[in-house]
Amino acid sequence: MDFLKNLSISSKNQGSSTGFEWFTTSALLTSISPVDGQRIADVQITDKQNYEQIITKASEAFLVWRKIPAPKRGDIIRQMGNAFRTKKEDLGKLVSWEMGKSLQEGMGEIQEIIDVCDFAVGLSRQLYGLTMHSERPNHRMYEQWHPLGIVGIITAFNFPAAVWGWNAALALVCGNVCVWKGSEKTPLTAIACQKIIGEVIKYNKLPEGISCLISGDKEVGYWITQDTRIPLVSATGSTRMGKEIGKVVAARLGRSLLELGGNNAIIVTPSADLKLAVIGAVFGATGTTGQRCTTTRRIIVHQSIYEQFKKDLINSYQQLVVGNPLENGVHVGPLIDNQAVNLYKDALIQIKKEKGIFIVEGEVLSIKNYESGFYVKPCIVEAHRGMKITQTETFVPILYLLKYDHLEEAIEIQNSVPQGLSSAIMTTNMKEMELFLSVAGSDCGIANVNMGTSGAEIGGAFGGEKETGGGRESGSDAWKAYMRRQTCSINFGNDMPLAQGIKFDL
Ligand code: NAD
Protein backbone atom coordinates (compact mmCIF):
# COMPACT_ATOMS: atom_id res chain seq x y z
CA MET A 1 0.00 0.00 0.00
CA ASP A 2 2.28 2.70 -1.28
CA PHE A 3 -0.35 5.37 -0.84
CA LEU A 4 -0.19 5.00 2.96
CA LYS A 5 3.58 5.46 2.91
CA ASN A 6 3.35 8.37 0.46
CA LEU A 7 0.90 10.09 2.79
CA SER A 8 3.06 9.40 5.89
CA ILE A 9 0.43 7.19 7.51
CA SER A 10 1.98 4.66 9.87
CA SER A 11 0.41 1.82 11.84
CA LYS A 12 -0.05 4.10 14.90
CA ASN A 13 -0.79 7.77 14.20
CA GLN A 14 -1.09 10.90 16.27
CA GLY A 15 -4.56 12.32 15.80
CA SER A 16 -4.26 15.84 17.25
CA SER A 17 -2.44 18.62 15.49
CA THR A 18 -2.07 22.37 15.29
CA GLY A 19 -0.92 22.88 11.76
CA PHE A 20 2.33 20.93 11.78
CA GLU A 21 2.83 20.16 15.48
CA TRP A 22 1.38 16.78 16.51
CA PHE A 23 0.40 15.71 20.05
CA THR A 24 0.68 12.30 21.64
CA THR A 25 -2.23 10.82 23.60
CA SER A 26 -2.87 7.35 24.98
CA ALA A 27 -6.37 6.20 23.97
CA LEU A 28 -6.66 4.71 20.49
CA LEU A 29 -9.28 4.24 17.83
CA THR A 30 -8.82 1.83 14.95
CA SER A 31 -9.48 2.56 11.32
CA ILE A 32 -10.96 -0.48 9.58
CA SER A 33 -11.14 -0.76 5.81
CA PRO A 34 -14.66 -1.67 4.73
CA VAL A 35 -13.11 -3.27 1.64
CA ASP A 36 -11.62 -6.23 3.52
CA GLY A 37 -12.84 -5.60 7.07
CA GLN A 38 -9.25 -5.46 8.32
CA ARG A 39 -7.46 -2.91 10.48
CA ILE A 40 -5.55 -0.29 8.48
CA ALA A 41 -3.98 1.60 11.39
CA ASP A 42 -4.61 3.05 14.85
CA VAL A 43 -5.14 6.70 15.68
CA GLN A 44 -4.58 8.42 19.02
CA ILE A 45 -7.78 10.02 20.33
CA THR A 46 -7.51 13.68 21.36
CA ASP A 47 -7.69 14.18 25.12
CA LYS A 48 -9.04 17.22 26.92
CA GLN A 49 -5.59 18.61 27.70
CA ASN A 50 -4.51 18.51 24.06
CA TYR A 51 -7.85 19.97 23.03
CA GLU A 52 -7.19 22.95 25.31
CA GLN A 53 -3.69 23.42 23.87
CA ILE A 54 -5.11 23.30 20.35
CA ILE A 55 -7.83 25.85 21.06
CA THR A 56 -5.23 28.16 22.64
CA LYS A 57 -2.99 27.86 19.56
CA ALA A 58 -5.97 28.42 17.26
CA SER A 59 -7.01 31.55 19.21
CA GLU A 60 -3.46 32.94 18.95
CA ALA A 61 -3.28 32.14 15.23
CA PHE A 62 -6.55 33.96 14.59
CA LEU A 63 -5.08 37.23 15.89
CA VAL A 64 -2.42 37.03 13.18
CA TRP A 65 -4.35 35.42 10.32
CA ARG A 66 -7.27 37.87 10.45
CA LYS A 67 -4.88 40.77 9.79
CA ILE A 68 -3.33 39.22 6.69
CA PRO A 69 -5.05 40.87 3.69
CA ALA A 70 -7.64 38.57 2.14
CA PRO A 71 -5.88 38.33 -1.27
CA LYS A 72 -2.71 37.23 0.55
CA ARG A 73 -4.74 34.62 2.41
CA GLY A 74 -6.01 33.62 -1.01
CA ASP A 75 -2.44 33.03 -2.11
CA ILE A 76 -1.89 30.61 0.80
CA ILE A 77 -5.09 28.77 -0.14
CA ARG A 78 -3.85 28.57 -3.73
CA GLN A 79 -0.75 26.80 -2.40
CA MET A 80 -2.95 24.47 -0.37
CA GLY A 81 -4.93 23.59 -3.50
CA ASN A 82 -1.69 22.89 -5.35
CA ALA A 83 -0.46 20.67 -2.52
CA PHE A 84 -3.66 18.63 -2.88
CA ARG A 85 -3.11 18.47 -6.65
CA THR A 86 0.20 16.70 -6.16
CA LYS A 87 -1.31 14.21 -3.70
CA LYS A 88 -4.61 13.64 -5.51
CA GLU A 89 -4.03 10.05 -6.51
CA ASP A 90 -2.61 8.84 -3.19
CA LEU A 91 -5.27 10.62 -1.20
CA GLY A 92 -8.00 9.38 -3.56
CA LYS A 93 -6.78 5.82 -2.93
CA LEU A 94 -6.81 6.34 0.82
CA VAL A 95 -10.38 7.73 0.68
CA SER A 96 -11.39 4.73 -1.37
CA TRP A 97 -9.68 2.21 0.93
CA GLU A 98 -10.80 3.78 4.20
CA MET A 99 -14.34 4.78 3.20
CA GLY A 100 -15.12 2.25 0.46
CA LYS A 101 -16.15 4.51 -2.43
CA SER A 102 -14.82 3.86 -5.94
CA LEU A 103 -11.38 5.20 -6.80
CA GLN A 104 -12.98 7.56 -9.32
CA GLU A 105 -15.18 8.98 -6.58
CA GLY A 106 -12.27 9.04 -4.11
CA MET A 107 -10.20 11.12 -6.50
CA GLY A 108 -13.29 13.21 -7.32
CA GLU A 109 -13.43 14.09 -3.65
CA ILE A 110 -9.89 15.45 -3.70
CA GLN A 111 -10.72 17.31 -6.92
CA GLU A 112 -13.50 19.02 -4.95
CA ILE A 113 -10.92 20.27 -2.43
CA ILE A 114 -8.76 21.57 -5.28
CA ASP A 115 -11.77 23.24 -6.93
CA VAL A 116 -12.99 24.87 -3.75
CA CYS A 117 -9.46 26.17 -3.06
CA ASP A 118 -9.51 27.77 -6.54
CA PHE A 119 -12.93 29.19 -5.77
CA ALA A 120 -11.64 30.63 -2.47
CA VAL A 121 -8.67 32.23 -4.22
CA GLY A 122 -11.10 34.17 -6.45
CA LEU A 123 -13.27 34.93 -3.46
CA SER A 124 -10.29 36.46 -1.67
CA ARG A 125 -10.79 39.56 -3.84
CA GLN A 126 -14.57 39.50 -3.70
CA LEU A 127 -15.65 39.55 -0.07
CA TYR A 128 -17.90 42.45 -0.96
CA GLY A 129 -20.13 44.55 1.23
CA LEU A 130 -22.88 46.93 0.09
CA THR A 131 -22.99 50.70 0.31
CA MET A 132 -26.27 52.46 1.13
CA HIS A 133 -27.59 55.98 0.82
CA SER A 134 -28.06 57.49 4.22
CA GLU A 135 -31.28 59.36 5.03
CA ARG A 136 -29.13 61.96 6.83
CA PRO A 137 -27.13 64.67 5.04
CA ASN A 138 -23.33 64.33 5.04
CA HIS A 139 -23.52 60.73 6.13
CA ARG A 140 -22.28 57.58 4.50
CA MET A 141 -23.30 54.00 5.25
CA TYR A 142 -21.78 50.75 4.23
CA GLU A 143 -21.55 47.14 5.24
CA GLN A 144 -18.39 45.20 5.80
CA TRP A 145 -17.65 41.61 6.66
CA HIS A 146 -15.23 40.44 9.33
CA PRO A 147 -14.13 36.92 10.25
CA LEU A 148 -15.74 35.19 13.21
CA GLY A 149 -12.77 33.52 14.90
CA ILE A 150 -12.43 29.76 15.32
CA VAL A 151 -14.70 27.70 13.06
CA GLY A 152 -15.36 24.19 14.40
CA ILE A 153 -15.81 21.68 11.59
CA ILE A 154 -17.42 18.30 12.30
CA THR A 155 -17.66 15.94 9.34
CA ALA A 156 -19.30 12.65 8.36
CA PHE A 157 -17.63 9.44 7.15
CA ASN A 158 -19.05 9.48 3.64
CA PHE A 159 -17.12 12.54 2.46
CA PRO A 160 -14.07 12.21 4.67
CA ALA A 161 -12.03 14.86 2.83
CA ALA A 162 -14.18 17.08 0.58
CA VAL A 163 -16.59 18.42 3.19
CA TRP A 164 -13.69 19.57 5.34
CA GLY A 165 -12.19 21.18 2.21
CA TRP A 166 -15.40 23.09 1.45
CA ASN A 167 -15.52 24.44 4.96
CA ALA A 168 -11.83 25.06 5.54
CA ALA A 169 -11.13 26.87 2.24
CA LEU A 170 -14.01 29.27 2.79
CA ALA A 171 -13.48 29.74 6.50
CA LEU A 172 -9.77 30.43 5.99
CA VAL A 173 -10.16 32.88 3.13
CA CYS A 174 -12.63 34.80 5.25
CA GLY A 175 -9.91 35.16 7.90
CA ASN A 176 -11.05 32.50 10.34
CA VAL A 177 -9.02 29.63 11.72
CA CYS A 178 -10.34 26.06 11.83
CA VAL A 179 -10.52 23.14 14.21
CA TRP A 180 -11.63 19.98 12.43
CA LYS A 181 -13.02 16.80 13.93
CA GLY A 182 -13.34 14.22 11.18
CA SER A 183 -15.42 11.08 11.42
CA GLU A 184 -14.17 8.40 13.81
CA LYS A 185 -14.81 5.95 10.94
CA THR A 186 -12.33 7.66 8.59
CA PRO A 187 -9.64 9.22 10.81
CA LEU A 188 -6.68 8.44 8.53
CA THR A 189 -8.00 10.55 5.66
CA ALA A 190 -8.27 13.49 8.07
CA ILE A 191 -4.70 12.95 9.26
CA ALA A 192 -3.41 12.78 5.68
CA CYS A 193 -5.22 16.04 4.79
CA GLN A 194 -3.84 17.72 7.89
CA LYS A 195 -0.29 16.68 6.99
CA ILE A 196 -0.68 18.18 3.52
CA ILE A 197 -2.05 21.49 4.77
CA GLY A 198 0.47 21.55 7.65
CA GLU A 199 3.36 21.59 5.17
CA VAL A 200 1.95 24.71 3.53
CA ILE A 201 1.49 26.41 6.88
CA LYS A 202 5.08 25.56 7.85
CA TYR A 203 6.57 26.60 4.50
CA ASN A 204 4.90 30.01 4.75
CA LYS A 205 5.96 30.44 8.40
CA LEU A 206 2.38 31.07 9.43
CA PRO A 207 1.13 30.63 12.99
CA GLU A 208 0.51 26.92 13.18
CA GLY A 209 -2.94 27.04 14.77
CA ILE A 210 -4.56 28.25 11.54
CA SER A 211 -5.91 24.82 10.74
CA CYS A 212 -6.05 22.20 13.49
CA LEU A 213 -7.20 18.60 13.76
CA ILE A 214 -8.72 16.66 16.62
CA SER A 215 -9.71 12.99 16.49
CA GLY A 216 -12.32 10.92 18.27
CA ASP A 217 -16.02 10.23 18.40
CA LYS A 218 -18.97 12.41 19.38
CA GLU A 219 -17.58 13.09 22.85
CA VAL A 220 -14.69 14.97 21.26
CA GLY A 221 -17.22 16.64 18.94
CA TYR A 222 -19.17 17.74 21.99
CA TRP A 223 -16.18 19.76 23.25
CA ILE A 224 -16.45 21.83 20.08
CA THR A 225 -20.22 22.31 20.23
CA GLN A 226 -20.28 23.56 23.82
CA ASP A 227 -17.14 25.72 23.54
CA THR A 228 -17.96 29.45 23.65
CA ARG A 229 -14.54 30.19 22.10
CA ILE A 230 -15.90 28.68 18.87
CA PRO A 231 -18.48 31.09 17.41
CA LEU A 232 -19.44 28.88 14.44
CA VAL A 233 -19.89 25.13 14.35
CA SER A 234 -20.27 23.70 10.87
CA ALA A 235 -21.53 20.15 11.26
CA THR A 236 -22.21 17.59 8.56
CA GLY A 237 -23.87 14.32 9.44
CA SER A 238 -27.17 12.69 10.31
CA THR A 239 -30.29 14.62 11.25
CA ARG A 240 -30.04 12.98 14.68
CA MET A 241 -26.59 14.52 15.13
CA GLY A 242 -27.80 17.91 13.80
CA LYS A 243 -30.62 18.01 16.32
CA GLU A 244 -28.19 17.31 19.18
CA ILE A 245 -25.57 19.79 18.02
CA GLY A 246 -28.08 22.48 17.04
CA LYS A 247 -29.50 22.44 20.57
CA VAL A 248 -26.13 22.68 22.33
CA VAL A 249 -24.82 25.48 20.08
CA ALA A 250 -28.10 27.42 20.25
CA ALA A 251 -28.10 27.19 24.06
CA ARG A 252 -24.92 29.27 24.10
CA LEU A 253 -26.25 31.49 21.27
CA GLY A 254 -23.50 30.33 18.95
CA ARG A 255 -24.03 29.84 15.25
CA SER A 256 -24.38 26.48 13.60
CA LEU A 257 -24.24 25.57 9.95
CA LEU A 258 -25.96 22.21 9.58
CA GLU A 259 -25.70 19.87 6.59
CA LEU A 260 -27.79 16.84 7.44
CA GLY A 261 -29.60 13.87 5.95
CA GLY A 262 -31.49 13.76 2.67
CA ASN A 263 -34.28 11.66 1.16
CA ASN A 264 -33.93 12.60 -2.46
CA ALA A 265 -36.25 11.82 -5.34
CA ILE A 266 -36.23 11.89 -9.13
CA ILE A 267 -39.50 12.48 -10.97
CA VAL A 268 -39.63 10.79 -14.38
CA THR A 269 -42.28 12.34 -16.63
CA PRO A 270 -43.85 10.92 -19.82
CA SER A 271 -41.65 13.20 -21.96
CA ALA A 272 -38.40 12.09 -20.29
CA ASP A 273 -35.44 10.75 -22.22
CA LEU A 274 -35.57 7.31 -20.60
CA LYS A 275 -31.92 6.55 -21.28
CA LEU A 276 -30.84 9.63 -19.32
CA ALA A 277 -33.40 8.87 -16.63
CA VAL A 278 -32.05 5.36 -16.09
CA ILE A 279 -28.40 6.48 -15.95
CA GLY A 280 -29.30 9.25 -13.50
CA ALA A 281 -31.26 6.83 -11.37
CA VAL A 282 -28.64 4.08 -11.26
CA PHE A 283 -25.71 6.37 -10.45
CA GLY A 284 -27.85 8.36 -8.02
CA ALA A 285 -29.06 5.28 -6.14
CA THR A 286 -25.96 3.08 -6.14
CA GLY A 287 -23.01 5.52 -6.36
CA THR A 288 -21.02 5.53 -3.09
CA THR A 289 -23.12 2.44 -2.25
CA GLY A 290 -26.13 4.63 -1.45
CA GLN A 291 -24.09 6.52 1.15
CA ARG A 292 -24.30 10.05 -0.23
CA CYS A 293 -26.46 12.66 1.43
CA THR A 294 -27.73 13.28 -2.13
CA THR A 295 -28.29 9.59 -2.96
CA THR A 296 -31.48 8.97 -4.96
CA ARG A 297 -33.75 7.07 -2.60
CA ARG A 298 -37.09 7.44 -4.41
CA ILE A 299 -38.08 7.51 -8.07
CA ILE A 300 -41.54 8.77 -8.89
CA VAL A 301 -42.52 7.62 -12.37
CA HIS A 302 -45.51 8.52 -14.52
CA GLN A 303 -47.83 5.53 -14.88
CA SER A 304 -47.71 5.71 -18.72
CA ILE A 305 -43.98 4.88 -18.84
CA TYR A 306 -43.70 3.03 -15.55
CA GLU A 307 -43.39 -0.51 -16.92
CA GLN A 308 -40.79 0.46 -19.55
CA PHE A 309 -38.73 2.44 -17.05
CA LYS A 310 -38.92 -0.39 -14.52
CA LYS A 311 -37.71 -2.91 -17.11
CA ASP A 312 -34.77 -0.69 -18.16
CA LEU A 313 -33.83 -0.01 -14.55
CA ILE A 314 -33.85 -3.71 -13.62
CA ASN A 315 -31.70 -4.37 -16.68
CA SER A 316 -29.13 -1.81 -15.60
CA TYR A 317 -29.05 -3.10 -12.03
CA GLN A 318 -28.21 -6.53 -13.43
CA GLN A 319 -25.02 -5.10 -14.96
CA LEU A 320 -23.76 -3.67 -11.64
CA VAL A 321 -20.52 -5.15 -10.33
CA VAL A 322 -20.06 -5.06 -6.55
CA GLY A 323 -16.55 -5.48 -5.15
CA ASN A 324 -13.26 -3.88 -4.21
CA PRO A 325 -13.75 -0.21 -5.18
CA LEU A 326 -10.10 0.12 -6.16
CA GLU A 327 -10.47 -2.48 -8.90
CA ASN A 328 -11.32 -1.49 -12.46
CA GLY A 329 -14.82 -2.33 -13.60
CA VAL A 330 -16.32 -2.29 -10.10
CA HIS A 331 -19.35 0.01 -9.79
CA VAL A 332 -20.33 -0.48 -6.17
CA GLY A 333 -18.02 -0.82 -3.17
CA PRO A 334 -18.85 -1.89 0.38
CA LEU A 335 -20.89 -0.18 3.08
CA ILE A 336 -18.85 1.56 5.75
CA ASP A 337 -19.15 -1.06 8.51
CA ASN A 338 -21.08 -3.91 10.01
CA GLN A 339 -23.50 -1.53 11.69
CA ALA A 340 -24.48 -0.27 8.22
CA VAL A 341 -24.94 -3.86 7.02
CA ASN A 342 -27.29 -4.44 9.96
CA LEU A 343 -29.24 -1.29 9.04
CA TYR A 344 -29.59 -2.69 5.53
CA LYS A 345 -30.80 -6.06 6.83
CA ASP A 346 -33.30 -4.41 9.19
CA ALA A 347 -34.59 -2.25 6.33
CA LEU A 348 -35.20 -5.33 4.14
CA ILE A 349 -37.29 -6.87 6.93
CA GLN A 350 -39.20 -3.64 7.47
CA ILE A 351 -39.93 -3.27 3.74
CA LYS A 352 -41.45 -6.76 3.65
CA LYS A 353 -43.54 -5.93 6.73
CA GLU A 354 -44.81 -2.81 5.00
CA LYS A 355 -45.66 -4.82 1.89
CA GLY A 356 -43.09 -3.37 -0.46
CA ILE A 357 -42.36 -5.62 -3.45
CA PHE A 358 -38.72 -6.33 -4.31
CA ILE A 359 -38.16 -6.15 -8.05
CA VAL A 360 -34.41 -6.48 -7.51
CA GLU A 361 -33.87 -8.53 -4.36
CA GLY A 362 -31.47 -7.36 -1.68
CA GLU A 363 -28.94 -9.56 0.09
CA VAL A 364 -25.68 -9.39 2.01
CA LEU A 365 -22.84 -10.42 -0.30
CA SER A 366 -19.63 -12.29 0.23
CA ILE A 367 -16.99 -11.11 -2.24
CA LYS A 368 -14.17 -13.48 -3.15
CA ASN A 369 -10.88 -12.51 -1.42
CA TYR A 370 -12.75 -9.86 0.61
CA GLU A 371 -15.06 -12.10 2.64
CA SER A 372 -14.75 -9.89 5.74
CA GLY A 373 -15.72 -6.72 3.84
CA PHE A 374 -19.16 -5.14 4.24
CA TYR A 375 -20.85 -5.80 0.91
CA VAL A 376 -24.54 -5.71 0.04
CA LYS A 377 -26.52 -5.89 -3.18
CA PRO A 378 -28.23 -2.69 -4.36
CA CYS A 379 -31.94 -3.42 -4.55
CA ILE A 380 -35.17 -1.89 -5.86
CA VAL A 381 -38.56 -1.94 -4.20
CA GLU A 382 -41.95 -1.17 -5.71
CA ALA A 383 -43.30 0.99 -2.94
CA HIS A 384 -46.62 2.55 -1.99
CA ARG A 385 -47.21 5.86 -0.29
CA GLY A 386 -48.24 4.30 3.00
CA MET A 387 -44.77 2.87 3.61
CA LYS A 388 -43.27 4.68 6.60
CA ILE A 389 -39.75 3.56 5.71
CA THR A 390 -39.83 5.72 2.56
CA GLN A 391 -39.99 8.75 4.85
CA THR A 392 -36.62 7.99 6.43
CA GLU A 393 -33.05 8.11 5.20
CA THR A 394 -31.65 4.58 5.37
CA PHE A 395 -28.01 5.12 4.42
CA VAL A 396 -27.73 2.07 2.12
CA PRO A 397 -28.47 1.33 -1.57
CA ILE A 398 -32.21 0.69 -1.44
CA LEU A 399 -34.30 2.44 -4.09
CA TYR A 400 -38.08 2.90 -3.88
CA LEU A 401 -40.16 3.10 -7.05
CA LEU A 402 -43.45 4.98 -6.88
CA LYS A 403 -46.08 5.73 -9.52
CA TYR A 404 -47.96 8.98 -10.27
CA ASP A 405 -50.74 10.32 -12.50
CA HIS A 406 -50.31 14.12 -12.48
CA LEU A 407 -47.16 16.17 -12.03
CA GLU A 408 -48.66 18.06 -9.08
CA GLU A 409 -49.13 14.69 -7.37
CA ALA A 410 -45.52 13.70 -8.13
CA ILE A 411 -44.24 16.95 -6.64
CA GLU A 412 -46.44 16.44 -3.61
CA ILE A 413 -45.04 12.92 -3.12
CA GLN A 414 -41.53 14.23 -3.52
CA ASN A 415 -42.01 17.00 -0.96
CA SER A 416 -43.91 14.85 1.54
CA VAL A 417 -40.81 13.75 3.47
CA PRO A 418 -39.17 15.49 6.43
CA GLN A 419 -35.89 16.05 4.56
CA GLY A 420 -35.27 18.65 1.82
CA LEU A 421 -31.84 18.22 0.27
CA SER A 422 -31.82 17.27 -3.42
CA SER A 423 -34.42 16.65 -6.11
CA ALA A 424 -34.57 16.11 -9.86
CA ILE A 425 -36.97 15.92 -12.74
CA MET A 426 -36.43 14.08 -16.01
CA THR A 427 -38.41 15.86 -18.70
CA THR A 428 -38.17 17.40 -22.15
CA ASN A 429 -41.35 19.39 -21.57
CA MET A 430 -40.71 23.03 -20.70
CA LYS A 431 -43.95 23.40 -18.77
CA GLU A 432 -43.16 20.41 -16.57
CA MET A 433 -39.67 21.72 -15.91
CA GLU A 434 -40.86 25.20 -14.98
CA LEU A 435 -43.57 23.88 -12.66
CA PHE A 436 -40.98 21.72 -10.89
CA LEU A 437 -38.69 24.74 -10.44
CA SER A 438 -41.49 27.16 -9.48
CA VAL A 439 -42.59 28.11 -5.98
CA ALA A 440 -45.15 25.30 -6.20
CA GLY A 441 -42.43 22.84 -7.19
CA SER A 442 -39.57 21.16 -5.38
CA ASP A 443 -39.04 22.30 -1.76
CA CYS A 444 -35.40 21.16 -1.72
CA GLY A 445 -32.14 23.11 -1.56
CA ILE A 446 -31.09 21.50 -4.86
CA ALA A 447 -33.37 21.09 -7.89
CA ASN A 448 -31.91 19.45 -11.02
CA VAL A 449 -33.31 18.93 -14.49
CA ASN A 450 -32.29 15.95 -16.62
CA MET A 451 -29.65 14.78 -14.20
CA GLY A 452 -29.70 12.77 -11.01
CA THR A 453 -29.86 14.05 -7.46
CA SER A 454 -26.17 13.60 -6.64
CA GLY A 455 -22.93 15.14 -7.88
CA ALA A 456 -23.27 18.83 -7.05
CA GLU A 457 -20.67 21.27 -8.35
CA ILE A 458 -18.78 23.44 -5.89
CA GLY A 459 -19.79 26.71 -7.64
CA GLY A 460 -23.34 26.60 -6.29
CA ALA A 461 -24.38 26.92 -2.66
CA PHE A 462 -24.85 23.40 -1.30
CA GLY A 463 -27.39 22.39 1.33
CA GLY A 464 -31.01 21.64 2.02
CA GLU A 465 -34.18 22.62 3.81
CA LYS A 466 -36.33 21.14 6.58
CA GLU A 467 -34.57 18.31 8.45
CA THR A 468 -31.55 18.70 6.19
CA GLY A 469 -30.71 21.63 8.44
CA GLY A 470 -30.94 24.76 6.26
CA GLY A 471 -27.18 25.35 6.00
CA ARG A 472 -25.36 26.34 2.81
CA GLU A 473 -21.72 25.56 2.11
CA SER A 474 -19.35 25.79 -0.81
CA GLY A 475 -20.06 28.22 -3.69
CA SER A 476 -22.22 31.27 -4.43
CA ASP A 477 -22.42 33.53 -1.37
CA ALA A 478 -22.13 30.70 1.18
CA TRP A 479 -19.03 32.52 2.49
CA LYS A 480 -21.31 34.92 4.35
CA ALA A 481 -22.06 32.19 6.90
CA TYR A 482 -18.39 32.29 7.94
CA MET A 483 -18.30 36.04 8.62
CA ARG A 484 -19.96 38.65 10.76
CA ARG A 485 -21.63 41.60 9.09
CA GLN A 486 -21.02 45.08 10.33
CA THR A 487 -23.05 48.13 9.29
CA CYS A 488 -20.94 51.28 9.46
CA SER A 489 -22.39 54.83 9.49
CA ILE A 490 -20.06 57.79 9.13
CA ASN A 491 -20.96 61.42 9.77
CA PHE A 492 -18.65 63.77 7.87
CA GLY A 493 -20.72 66.94 8.52
CA ASN A 494 -20.78 69.50 11.34
CA ASP A 495 -24.22 68.57 12.71
CA MET A 496 -25.56 65.43 14.24
CA PRO A 497 -29.00 64.79 12.74
CA LEU A 498 -30.72 61.75 14.21
CA ALA A 499 -32.32 58.96 12.21
CA GLN A 500 -36.11 59.02 11.69
CA GLY A 501 -35.96 62.83 12.07
CA ILE A 502 -35.91 62.58 15.87
CA LYS A 503 -35.10 65.88 17.59
CA PHE A 504 -32.89 65.90 20.68
CA ASP A 505 -31.94 69.51 21.26
CA LEU A 506 -29.84 70.39 24.29
P1 NAD B 1 -23.16 10.95 12.11
O1 NAD B 1 -24.23 11.90 12.40
O2 NAD B 1 -23.18 9.63 12.79
O3 NAD B 1 -21.72 11.60 12.45
C1 NAD B 1 -21.26 12.75 11.80
C2 NAD B 1 -20.19 13.41 12.64
O4 NAD B 1 -20.81 14.00 13.78
C3 NAD B 1 -19.13 12.47 13.18
O5 NAD B 1 -17.88 13.13 13.13
C4 NAD B 1 -19.57 12.23 14.62
O6 NAD B 1 -18.51 11.90 15.50
C5 NAD B 1 -20.16 13.59 14.97
N1 NAD B 1 -21.20 13.60 16.00
C6 NAD B 1 -22.27 12.77 16.09
N2 NAD B 1 -23.05 13.14 17.12
C7 NAD B 1 -22.47 14.23 17.68
C8 NAD B 1 -22.80 15.07 18.79
N3 NAD B 1 -23.91 14.85 19.52
N4 NAD B 1 -21.97 16.09 19.09
C9 NAD B 1 -20.86 16.33 18.35
N5 NAD B 1 -20.48 15.56 17.31
C10 NAD B 1 -21.29 14.52 16.96
O7 NAD B 1 -23.16 10.77 10.52
P2 NAD B 1 -22.36 9.74 9.61
O8 NAD B 1 -22.95 8.38 9.78
O9 NAD B 1 -20.90 9.93 9.78
O10 NAD B 1 -22.73 10.31 8.15
C11 NAD B 1 -23.89 10.01 7.45
C12 NAD B 1 -24.91 11.12 7.56
O11 NAD B 1 -24.37 12.36 7.15
C13 NAD B 1 -26.10 10.89 6.63
O12 NAD B 1 -27.26 11.22 7.31
C14 NAD B 1 -25.84 11.86 5.48
O13 NAD B 1 -26.98 12.23 4.78
C15 NAD B 1 -25.23 13.01 6.22
N6 NAD B 1 -24.45 13.87 5.33
C16 NAD B 1 -24.99 15.07 4.97
C17 NAD B 1 -24.32 15.89 4.08
C18 NAD B 1 -24.91 17.20 3.65
O14 NAD B 1 -24.15 18.01 3.12
N7 NAD B 1 -26.18 17.47 3.83
C19 NAD B 1 -23.07 15.51 3.58
C20 NAD B 1 -22.54 14.29 3.97
C21 NAD B 1 -23.25 13.47 4.86
Side-chain angles (χ1 to χ4, degrees), residues 28 55-56 61-62 64 72 103-104 130 135 153 178 193 202 279 332 338 346 419 424-425 446 461:
L28 296 178
I55 296 296
T56 303
F62 175 59
V64 178
K72 291 220 158 61
L103 179 56
Q104 281 303 312
L130 298 170
E135 65 189 45
I153 303 171
C178 304
C193 289
K202 192 173 182 179
I279 297 171
V332 181
N338 213 25
D346 291 348
Q419 310 82 355
I425 189 167
I446 297 168

Side-chain angles (χ1 to χ4, degrees), residues 297-464:
R297 309 216 175 269
R298 298 170 297 141
I299 306 218
I300 307 159
V301 189
H302 191 262
Q303 42 88 8
S304 65
I305 49 159
Y306 184 85
E307 289 306 323
Q308 183 61 48
F309 179 80
K310 180 171 123 182
K311 199 169 132 226
D312 294 352
L313 193 63
I314 293 173
N315 242 333
S316 298
Y317 263 59
Q318 279 159 355
Q319 330 281 319
L320 289 173
V321 179
V322 182
N324 174 354
L326 282 157
E327 279 173 14
N328 280 335
V330 168
H331 303 105
V332 181
L335 288 173
I336 185 69
D337 56 15
N338 213 25
Q339 203 186 335
V341 174
N342 287 335
L343 270 180
Y344 173 88
K345 290 199 288 197
D346 291 348
L348 299 191
I349 294 168
Q350 185 61 27
I351 289 164
K352 282 184 184 143
K353 268 197 203 152
E354 294 196 41
K355 307 217 176 337
I357 300 162
F358 284 92
I359 52 174
V360 173
E361 287 285 341
E363 60 177 315
V364 175
L365 299 175
S366 175
I367 303 290
K368 194 161 176 260
N369 299 328
Y370 302 103
E371 285 78 4
S372 305
F374 309 116
Y375 296 92
V376 299
K377 187 172 159 210
C379 60
I380 312 176
V381 179
E382 273 191 309
H384 58 86
R385 287 199 68 184
M387 288 175 70
K388 284 210 180 82
I389 195 162
T390 63
Q391 296 280 310
T392 60
E393 180 199 49
T394 312
F395 219 50
V396 297
I398 299 176
L399 179 63
Y400 302 107
L401 219 52
L402 294 134
K403 219 183 264 182
Y404 80 91
D405 274 326
H406 305 289
L407 187 54
E408 287 79 359
E409 181 197 0
I411 292 171
E412 198 270 314
I413 297 173
Q414 186 214 266
N415 291 346
S416 68
V417 295
Q419 310 82 355
L421 181 53
S422 186
S423 60
I425 189 167
M426 297 288 180
T427 179
T428 54
N429 178 320
M430 187 265 272
K431 285 186 179 170
E432 288 176 340
M433 176 184 87
E434 291 294 345
L435 177 61
F436 175 76
L437 297 174
S438 76
V439 67
S442 163
D443 66 359
C444 295
I446 297 168
N448 295 335
V449 178
N450 291 328
M451 57 175 89
T453 55
S454 65
E457 294 183 25
I458 64 102
F462 181 89

